[in-house]
Amino acid sequence: MSRETQNILVLLIGLSTGLIAVKGTYLNFVKPALFPWLLVAAVLLVALAVVCLVRDLRQGPPGGHHHRGLLAWLLLVPVALTAFVSVPPMSAVGTETVTAAVAPPKRAFPPLPADGAVPLPEVVLRAAADSTKSLEGRTITVTGFTMGDDLARVVIVCCAADAQLARIHLTGALGTHPNDTWLKVQGKVIPGTSNPSTNFVPTMEVTSADPIPKARNTYAY
């Protein structure tokens, strides 16, 4: 690969990074906290490529410029795809379910919020490891998408490459909903249902389940 092609490739990578950051589609790949770093990376890559291209232009075009220039223009295709084609966020398909081989160590969790709205991954953690038993007897509200009789969220720590699936089994007044339906579910976690035999997937007795629009950012953190 020629120096010219390398510089243009760096430029295109910088532009692509900037595009997904500005458009917000970066949320399909990484957590929101990485947004500033994406912008910094995009600016640095574009600046580096421009400096190198200007330097090479001042030194004069190398031999075979026409063919390398054509190859560089073909590399614009990824930028066009980034601009006009949005890669969807990772779904339950191909995502590994979060499970524990042994019981997680017990620890005290902070009190539940007054409105009872708890992120689904936190419900899974509290049911398995909360020494204060904060979920017992409490009506909570959880949102997620349906997987059969389960409610689920895709959880990422840093990026989509480390995505895992957190699930809660639902019973009671659930109704019938197709898979991948987003629901706002209200109910109580049944004590003792988070154990090794259930892979620490707790069961929630549902009192209401209402369809909601799909979240713009479908990941949980």
Side-chain angles (χ1 to χ4, degrees):
M1 182 182 293
S2 69
R3 179 188 294 274
E4 179 188 38
T5 302
Q6 290 173 352
N7 293 337
I8 294 180
L9 183 58
V10 171
L11 176 63
L12 296 181
I13 293 173
L15 291 174
S16 298
T17 303
L19 278 173
I20 65 173
V22 171
K23 290 170 59 181
T25 52
Y26 77 97
L27 292 173
N28 294 345
F29 307 100
V30 298
K31 61 194 305 183
L34 295 180
F35 175 73
W37 299 104
L38 286 177
L39 286 182
V40 170
V43 171
L44 290 177
L45 287 171
V46 170
L48 175 63
V50 169
V51 168
C52 292
L53 286 169
V54 170
R55 180 198 59 192
D56 290 346
L57 286 173
R58 288 177 176 175
Q59 292 176 351
H65 174 76
H66 173 73
H67 297 290
R68 288 197 294 270
L70 178 60
L71 177 60
W73 280 108
L74 289 176
L75 290 173
L76 282 172
V77 173
V79 174
L81 291 175
T82 302
F84 300 107
V85 179
S86 295
V87 178
M90 182 172 287
S91 65
V93 178
T95 308
E96 182 182 0
T97 300
V98 178
T99 60
V102 296
K106 296 290 184 179
R107 60 187 177 91
F109 281 68
L112 291 173
D115 61 2
V118 187
L120 191 150
E122 183 180 329
V123 174
V124 176
L125 290 175
R126 284 179 181 266
D130 187 8
S131 61
T132 69
K133 300 182 179 180
S134 58
L135 292 175
E136 290 193 12
R138 284 290 304 271
T139 297
I140 60 172
T141 302
V142 187
T143 61
F145 58 86
T146 55
M147 288 181 58
D149 292 331
D150 292 351
L151 195 71
R153 290 293 298 267
V154 176
V155 184
I156 67 174
V157 177
C158 172
C159 59
D162 59 32
Q164 292 184 305
L165 196 65
R167 297 186 296 119
I168 297 175
H169 186 67
L170 303 178
T171 186
L174 176 60
T176 303
H177 304 282
N179 279 343
D180 204 31
T181 299
W182 279 78
L183 297 178
K184 181 178 181 180
V185 175
Q186 191 172 63
K188 296 180 180 180
V189 173
I190 301 175
T193 54
S194 177
N195 56 63
S197 66
T198 64
N199 288 322
F200 297 95
V201 175
T203 296
M204 184 175 183
E205 182 75 29
V206 177
T207 55
S208 67
D210 302 312
I212 58 174
K214 184 177 182 178
R216 176 177 176 270
N217 183 4
T218 60
Y219 295 139
Y221 308 100

